[in-house]
Amino acid sequence: MYDYTDFDAAFVAERNRQFRAQVERRIAGALTEDEFKPLRLMNGLYLQLHAYMLRVAIPYGTLNGRQMRRLAEIAERWDRGYGHFTTRQNIQFNWPALRDVPDILDALAEVEMHAIQTSGNTIRNVTADPFAGAAADEIADPRPVAELIRQWSTDHPEFQFLPRKFKIAVAGSPNDRAVTAAHDLALRIVERDGAIGYTVLVGGGLGRTPMIGQVINDFVPQADLLPYIEAVVGVWNLLGRRDNKYKARIKITLHEHGMDEIRSLVEARFIETRAAFSGIDVPLFEAIKAAFTPPSFAKRPVSAFERAYEADPVFRSWADTNLAEHRAEGHAIVQVSLKAHGAVPGDATSAQMRVLADIAEQFGHDELRISQDQNVILPHVHKADLPEIHARLKSHGLATANIGRVSDIVACPGMDYCALATARSIPVAQQIATRFDELKLEHEIGALRIKISGCINACGHHHVGHIGILGLDRAGVETYQITLGGDHTETAALGDRTGPGFGADEIVPAIERLVGAYLEHRDGKQETFLETYRRLGMAPFKAALYDQESRVAAE
Amino acid sequence: MSRSFTPKVVTGNALLEGDVIYLTEDDGWTRDLSRAEILTDEAHAQMRLLDAARRASEIVGTYLADVKPGPKGPEPTHFREEFRRSGPSEAARVPQETQNV
């Protein structure tokens, strides 16, 4: 893992010192709320529906046991004993008091964490594939370049007052687990003639005007990467609409000007930025890369795994559903579900965080990841240790075997917490998960991604869910719109709206009818929900949702 | 004068804790909507809002929220105000582990 340099530590300490003084001045009345608000947002502090919310960055989703344990401590000491992991690899604390926030930030700094640029019109936390450094299909580890971008973008003087927020993601494998196409700028690591480079996408984003990112450059070599990104952000910084916040994101700039114009402006600006770069970023990148040297993976027999797999059906089901292929022999990537049936998606208690920290330290080379699906990943685990890990997870409600299944639902906090929400998300997710658990159909249904947002800002990524659910306020009533056919991977697609929305008491039966239609129409168990939708289109699903006769039959 | 003015309360979040608070008749703050001052005259409501917003070291994000008079005092007319009054849905505030073990 990357360790802070003296410069990093001093920088974060200075920012925390400044923020402590700003909080004191606000409480003393020397700063108005209008003056204070941009300052607190620069440090990740929001005011939500019922309380403040502190959003802490987990850069490229990577943390160690000590850091996870510190998050547990913060939740216990200054919050209500839990935290919420988000789709952008952050953790949110829902109940901090204003006076405590400077202490929380100092506690984070002690373990090399911060909340800088987790809000505001800046370059946000750079996200990456949560399987980075472990995945069997990886071309190169995306974390060193994500760290390089973090250092370059933090407090970048040109980019502190952007037209709007700017989100960057990096994928290191052809299988995209970082939702790159939904980012303002995305890098996909590629190899050409033996050299590593980057395919650069721009203009992706969900929200009120969802768009899939487009390739602006199919191969940027390492030495050109920072000047190239600086050119892209610089061009948008000048062109981006500051007159209308709904038209300020780069996706709208791209849409209004067209790719040809944007590309040629970027190329022109790149000549200048390239010349201005001293080249220091190349040796810096090499130094960062050294910090991400993979651990040495032990060669041991996996017989303990095989015995448990044969003997214990609960373990077998979990192993079949929650493990992913590791690049090293005898190893696995463990996906720990934070989606126990009926639980709040992405929430973990302090006790659970500590269990995860312990397991990572004891069995997992001290590494943890947060996934874009709001789960926790143990990237490097030897299979022989899996029975013990499973037993420990199970005793803390962390062994639900549902990764990628109907109950592994992505959901934003919605109106239970968020001031922007127009409807609730969490109870809808809980009810769907509980219902399909009762039906005992989860494994029969197979791969199915449901994503729920409580407003059009789409923090729950509903546009790219196989089934997307969007909560709206229609004349003072919570109403849920459904989209079908979204895809968050390398074959990214936006879902299509089915038609009129459903009330809060109608949405769960509606989802059940959709899944019923899939089971009825699929071409064998091998065909996933998304494949069936792509083959048949909207008609059978629409009929299941809205056709009165099929509704009666389903009830 | 107040033709069909929907009754209001002055509300916002407490500066220090972030809690939802409401203005009372005696210029205090309450966490209990039913004890808030109900404002039925538009001009008076605007005055009360201005008074409250000036107390910047106590309240953040001050606004007038629609209410209807009930037997125990003002009640929300919209579900957003209902959630502000009552906090997150019960299931949404129970930490995960206690739901599973």
Side-chain angles (χ1 to χ4, degrees):
Chain A
M1 269 184 76
Y2 177 79
D3 289 317
Y4 274 15
T5 60
D6 291 347
F7 175 85
D8 295 322
F11 174 80
V12 173
E14 174 58 14
R15 276 289 292 262
N16 287 354
R17 190 195 63 73
Q18 289 171 1
F19 188 58
R20 183 177 292 277
Q22 288 156 1
V23 169
E24 279 165 15
R25 290 206 298 281
R26 174 69 184 96
I27 291 172
L31 289 175
T32 65
E33 185 59 21
D34 286 347
E35 289 164 334
F36 180 64
K37 188 176 174 183
L39 299 172
R40 69 169 156 80
L41 290 178
M42 281 169 75
N43 293 285
L45 186 64
Y46 285 75
L47 184 59
Q48 296 279 65
L49 216 49
H50 316 290
Y52 287 98
M53 180 271 280
L54 182 67
R55 180 183 293 155
V56 177
I58 299 169
Y60 32 91
T62 296
L63 70 173
N64 59 29
R66 184 166 164 249
Q67 291 171 322
M68 184 64 110
R69 206 170 274 113
R70 181 55 57 92
L71 296 177
E73 229 175 277
I74 288 170
E76 219 162 51
R77 181 162 173 203
W78 290 294
D79 208 272
R80 295 193 182 173
Y82 65 100
H84 177 75
F85 292 104
T86 77
T87 54
R88 290 209 79 256
Q89 300 181 312
N90 297 304
I91 183 169
Q92 296 183 172
F93 293 108
N94 285 310
W95 305 98
L98 179 59
R99 241 185 242 289
D100 293 334
V101 174
D103 290 340
I104 299 175
L105 294 178
D106 284 348
L108 288 167
E110 284 174 14
V111 295
E112 306 186 352
M113 295 182 81
H114 62 71
I116 295 167
Q117 290 181 205
T118 59
S119 176
N121 295 335
T122 55
I123 297 173
R124 300 289 188 89
N125 183 32
V126 180
T127 56
D129 184 344
F131 293 179
D137 59 4
E138 185 167 281
I139 299 162
D141 189 332
R143 291 172 300 162
V145 73
E147 173 60 29
L148 182 73
I149 295 169
R150 183 176 80 96
Q151 295 189 13
W152 160 82
S153 65
T154 301
D155 224 20
H156 191 304
E158 190 180 339
F159 303 140
Q160 292 305 297
F161 296 92
L162 292 169
R164 197 78 177 83
K165 59 186 156 186
F166 196 84
K167 299 177 183 175
I168 300 178
V170 191
S173 302
N175 293 300
D176 184 354
R177 290 173 288 261
V179 206
T180 59
H183 282 76
D184 294 289
L185 185 146
L187 305 177
R188 292 177 177 169
I189 298 179
V190 287
E191 193 175 347
R192 185 186 279 181
D193 304 325
I196 295 290
Y198 304 90
T199 294
V200 181
L201 286 81
V202 294
L206 302 176
R208 107 175 17 224
T209 317
M211 295 195 188
I212 297 295
Q214 301 173 40
V215 175
I216 186 168
N217 193 323
D218 64 0
F219 192 86
V220 175
Q222 182 66 50
D224 290 345
L225 184 67
L226 285 189
Y228 192 82
I229 298 175
E230 191 156 295
V232 172
V233 185
V235 164
W236 168 65
N237 194 19
L238 288 178
L239 275 186
R241 298 267 304 260
R242 285 179 154 83
D243 61 317
N244 181 342
K245 73 183 264 194
Y246 302 122
K247 296 188 172 174
R249 296 285 288 272
I250 194 171
K251 61 190 173 185
I252 308 289
T253 313
L254 180 65
H255 184 72
E256 288 183 348
H257 292 263
M259 181 57 95
D260 291 343
E261 188 189 336
I262 297 293
R263 188 180 282 126
S264 66
L265 287 168
V266 168
E267 295 298 333
R269 176 69 184 142
F270 173 68
I271 293 169
E272 296 165 352
T273 53
R274 186 72 193 82
F277 264 72
S278 63
I280 185 75
D281 51 310
V282 175
L284 179 62
F285 177 65
E286 291 305 318
I288 292 171
K289 230 161 64 174
F292 291 95
T293 306
S296 65
F297 298 113
K299 284 198 172 136
R300 291 192 272 146
V302 294
S303 44
F305 169 77
E306 284 160 357
R307 276 197 306 277
Y309 190 85
E310 286 309 312
D312 179 357
V314 176
F315 176 75
R316 184 160 62 240
S317 166
W318 176 80
D320 286 343
T321 312
N322 290 31
L323 300 183
E325 199 187 343
H326 197 282
R327 64 163 63 152
E329 191 192 330
H331 284 70
I333 300 169
V334 176
Q335 304 176 78
V336 179
S337 170
L338 295 183
K339 319 289 179 65
H341 303 110
V344 179
D347 275 16
T349 63
S350 293
Q352 289 175 323
M353 291 184 219
R354 287 197 180 99
V355 168
L356 290 163
D358 290 345
I359 294 173
E361 283 169 352
Q362 200 175 339
F363 302 108
H365 297 277
D366 200 16
E367 277 207 42
L368 292 153
R369 308 288 170 73
I370 305 307
S371 78
Q372 283 75 355
D373 297 322
Q374 302 176 286
N375 292 312
V376 176
I377 312 292
L378 294 156
H380 306 304
V381 168
H382 195 279
K383 285 186 172 179
D385 298 324
L386 286 170
E388 169 68 18
I389 291 172
H390 178 254
R392 291 203 202 174
L393 291 173
K394 202 170 146 192
S395 65
H396 288 84
L398 289 169
T400 311
N402 65 345
I403 296 294
R405 301 287 196 252
V406 63
S407 64
D408 183 9
I409 299 171
V410 168
C412 72
M415 202 180 270
D416 286 302
Y417 292 95
C418 179
L420 300 173
T422 44
R424 289 172 296 171
S425 317
I426 292 169
V428 176
Q430 290 170 321
Q431 287 161 28
I432 293 171
T434 306
R435 179 63 185 148
F436 281 97
D437 188 40
E438 283 164 9
L439 293 171
K440 297 293 165 215
L441 275 175
E442 187 143 44
H443 293 281
E444 179 65 28
I445 296 161
L448 174 54
R449 300 284 186 165
I450 298 180
K451 298 178 192 278
I452 309 176
S453 305
C455 81
I456 55 171
N457 294 310
C459 295
H461 291 185
H462 64 279
H463 298 110
V464 292
H466 302 164
I467 298 176
I469 301 175
L470 166 62
L472 295 168
D473 172 355
R474 284 281 180 260
V477 178
E478 284 175 292
T479 305
Y480 295 90
Q481 256 176 24
I482 298 175
T483 47
L484 297 178
D487 178 352
H488 65 286
T489 69
E490 63 284 356
T491 48
L494 301 171
D496 309 308
R497 256 185 68 186
T498 58
F502 295 85
D505 54 347
E506 299 169 326
I507 185 66
V508 180
I511 299 302
E512 205 177 318
R513 292 200 297 280
L514 276 178
V515 174
Y518 155 65
L519 292 174
E520 185 187 332
H521 293 289
R522 71 181 176 183
D523 186 14
K525 210 180 164 176
Q526 296 314 308
E527 191 180 60
T528 64
F529 180 93
L530 186 60
E531 287 162 354
T532 303
Y533 177 76
R534 283 178 174 164
R535 179 170 59 83
L536 295 177
M538 184 67 87
F541 297 100
K542 214 167 168 160
L545 280 179
Y546 300 108
D547 183 339
Q548 208 51 43
E549 281 174 30
S550 71
R551 291 180 74 151
V552 173
E555 284 157 10
Chain B
M1 284 289 280
S2 53
R3 305 163 297 275
S4 58
F5 179 69
T6 308
K8 304 276 192 284
V9 293
V10 174
T11 184
N13 294 78
L15 173 70
L16 295 180
E17 299 85 9
D19 300 5
V20 173
I21 54 175
Y22 306 94
L23 185 65
T24 60
E25 235 176 279
D26 58 358
D27 289 330
W29 303 111
T30 177
R31 265 100 179 137
D32 180 356
L33 174 60
S34 66
R35 296 168 65 177
E37 178 187 16
I38 189 158
L39 304 162
T40 52
D41 178 80
E42 188 168 3
H44 182 58
Q46 289 299 334
M47 289 299 293
R48 295 295 282 159
L49 176 66
L50 286 172
D51 288 344
R54 224 171 275 137
R55 295 161 67 176
S57 58
E58 297 164 37
I59 188 166
V60 182
T62 322
Y63 67 97
L64 292 169
D66 286 355
V67 290
K68 58 186 178 215
K72 289 182 186 163
E75 288 174 8
T77 61
H78 189 279
F79 64 85
R80 186 175 193 272
E81 289 303 324
E82 179 61 51
F83 292 132
R84 285 186 77 241
R85 167 170 80 158
S86 53
S89 312
E90 200 171 327
R93 56 188 160 185
V94 178
Q96 190 179 41
E97 199 166 9
T98 48
Q99 295 174 6
N100 294 311
V101 175

